[in-house]
Amino acid sequence: MSTHIITEATATLSNLKRDPVGTVKSAGGAPVVIMKHSRPAFYCLSLEQYEALIEQQEDADDLEVSRARLNDEQIPVNLHDL
C-alpha cells in the first residue's frame, strides 16, 4: 500500500528523539513527516501550525452550523422590544 506524503520535509524517529525542536525548525516552517522503518508514522507540526490547523477546523465547523441554520424558520424581531 502506498502512502501519499503531503510535505517535502522528512525526518526519522531517531532524529526527532535526539533533537525535537531542531527537527521542526529544520523544515523551515513546513510540517515534518516522521518516518519509522522507512514508512510515514506521523506528522510533526510547530505550535503555530497546530494552532492554525485547529482554527481552520473551528471555522469549518462554524460554517457548517451557519449553512444548516440558513434553512431554519426566521422569527421577526423588533429591536425596541429587546
Side-chain angles (χ1 to χ4, degrees):
M1 180 172 121
S2 66
T3 303
H4 182 71
I5 297 175
I6 57 172
T7 185
E8 293 181 14
T10 63
T12 64
L13 189 55
S14 299
N15 290 344
L16 181 67
K17 287 179 184 179
R18 185 174 40 254
D19 184 12
V21 174
T23 299
V24 173
K25 284 185 177 180
S26 70
V32 182
V33 65
I34 304 301
M35 307 294 281
K36 182 177 180 182
H37 303 296
S38 300
R39 301 183 84 133
F42 59 91
Y43 286 90
C44 186
L45 307 172
S46 69
L47 178 62
E48 294 80 13
Q49 292 166 335
Y50 179 76
E51 287 174 344
L53 184 65
I54 294 301
E55 181 146 342
Q56 287 175 349
Q57 183 60 53
E58 288 171 349
D59 289 347
D61 292 344
D62 290 345
L63 181 60
E64 185 177 331
V65 169
S66 297
R67 285 185 175 154
R69 290 181 180 170
L70 280 175
N71 296 325
D72 285 356
E73 179 184 347
Q74 295 183 5
I75 301 170
V77 175
N78 184 337
L79 293 177
H80 297 291
D81 294 339
L82 299 177

